[in-house]
Amino acid sequence: MSEAIPEAGGIISPAALGQHLRQVRESQGRSLEEVSQQLKFSVSQLRALEEGQLDGFSSPVILRGALKNYARLLDLDMDALMVQLDVLIPATVPRSSSPIRATPVEVRNRSRFPVGRALFTVLIAGGLGAAGWWGWQHQQQLQQWWASLRQPAASVPAASGVDLEVILPAASEGEPLVGAAAPLDVSASGVSASAPLDGGTQLVLLTEEAAWIEVFDGKGGKLYSQLTPPHQTITLSGTPPLKLKVGNAGHVKLEYNGQPIDLQPYVQANVARLTLPQASSE
């Protein structure tokens, strides 16, 4: 049977309510520590309730919850307790009566952003993107060209069954070499071709565009090996046979011992590879 809550003139006081809670708890042989473990409220909070200090709680909701759980644990009359709480708690724990005022938020008109500045930003971004794309394409072309230069020289099968590099036959007197092109004009670059050295050959190359050129003599010595700028004339002499590797061959002219040589028959992947023989002696 539920314990009755004492009333004083119809309304119970906080001190009387707290005293009644303590008396019922002690009559049931319960300690504050035991009640604290069961209700999950601290001992100091329960002691404040028993001493009638209802204003020590942070909110009415927490206070009402503590009293209801405490009364239910002690098997008190809950209906009578709820009537008393409706009167006690508003008088003990004041509630904020200030109305909540909405703070106006300033909304800026973003349409004032200058159209000219936005257009300028778009143009700059587009220009940077186009420049990056062009640079990437140019880099890819350079990589393909360099890779083609690293390929081995082309060879053709000889009658003996041994693979030999393509070798041009020596020219006879008054007869042009096979694949000969128009005579090479070296005077335009300001470099004149000299006569071949004794027992050697003379090689003249003219670049219309930048080209990688490698030339080795018959002893394996390197006569020339570098990326040559456009509009340059290179004159070389060495012991034959001379081995040539010419990148970007479509824009390079070649003259061997005074006779022009067409590089196109020896081009693979825009790189010409050929071997020139020793000039015939008179």
Side-chain angles (χ1 to χ4, degrees):
M1 182 177 181
S2 301
E3 293 277 351
I5 297 179
E7 298 181 2
I11 300 176
I12 189 172
S13 65
L17 177 59
Q19 183 180 6
H20 182 66
L21 291 173
R22 180 176 58 81
Q23 291 175 351
V24 175
R25 174 181 61 78
E26 292 177 348
S27 66
Q28 294 179 1
R30 300 174 185 268
S31 64
L32 279 177
E33 289 75 11
E34 179 183 353
V35 175
S36 173
Q37 292 180 359
Q38 293 178 339
L39 298 183
K40 306 304 179 184
F41 283 94
S42 65
V43 174
S44 59
Q45 288 177 317
L46 297 176
R47 184 176 290 110
L49 288 178
E50 292 183 354
E51 293 176 355
Q53 299 175 2
L54 305 185
D55 55 350
F57 288 81
S58 60
S59 69
V61 175
I62 296 178
L63 174 60
R64 290 175 66 92
L67 286 173
K68 287 172 62 176
N69 290 338
Y70 201 171
R72 185 179 293 108
L73 178 65
L74 300 179
D75 197 22
L76 300 180
D77 187 352
M78 296 299 298
D79 294 335
L81 175 64
M82 295 303 298
V83 173
Q84 297 296 328
L85 289 180
D86 291 338
V87 178
L88 284 175
I89 293 179
T92 305
V93 182
R95 298 178 181 178
S96 175
S97 60
S98 301
I100 299 176
R101 297 181 180 180
T103 303
V105 178
E106 180 182 359
V107 179
R108 297 183 179 180
N109 186 4
R110 297 185 179 272
S111 63
R112 296 180 182 176
F113 187 83
V115 178
R117 185 180 300 176
L119 180 59
F120 177 76
T121 303
V122 172
L123 291 176
I124 290 297
L128 292 176
W133 180 84
W134 181 88
W136 180 83
Q137 290 286 341
H138 186 63
Q139 182 68 21
Q140 293 296 316
Q141 293 176 357
L142 288 178
Q143 291 179 355
Q144 292 176 0
W145 179 36
W146 180 258
S148 66
L149 292 177
R150 303 296 93 190
Q151 296 178 356
S155 60
V156 294
S160 60
V162 181
D163 290 342
L164 300 175
E165 291 183 326
V166 177
I167 299 178
L168 295 179
S172 59
E173 182 177 0
E175 181 180 358
L177 292 177
V178 177
L184 178 63
D185 182 11
V186 298
S187 60
S189 63
V191 181
S192 59
S194 59
L197 298 179
D198 294 340
T201 59
Q202 185 183 73
L203 196 68
V204 180
L205 298 104
L206 174 63
T207 59
E208 298 175 347
E209 295 183 0
W212 179 269
I213 300 176
E214 290 183 359
V215 181
F216 292 85
D217 63 11
K219 299 179 180 180
K222 182 188 298 183
L223 300 181
Y224 189 87
S225 177
Q226 69 179 47
L227 178 63
T228 306
H231 310 298
Q232 299 292 316
T233 300
I234 302 100
T235 303
L236 304 171
S237 295
T239 303
L242 303 181
K243 295 183 179 181
L244 290 80
K245 180 183 292 185
V246 181
N248 200 15
H251 298 279
V252 178
K253 293 182 178 180
L254 171 64
E255 184 177 288
Y256 178 70
N257 284 344
Q259 297 193 29
I261 304 298
D262 185 8
L263 292 175
Q264 290 304 313
Y266 313 103
V267 173
Q268 291 185 356
N270 204 25
V271 178
R273 295 177 176 84
L274 65 156
T275 301
L276 297 176
Q278 181 178 6
S280 60
S281 59
E282 294 183 359

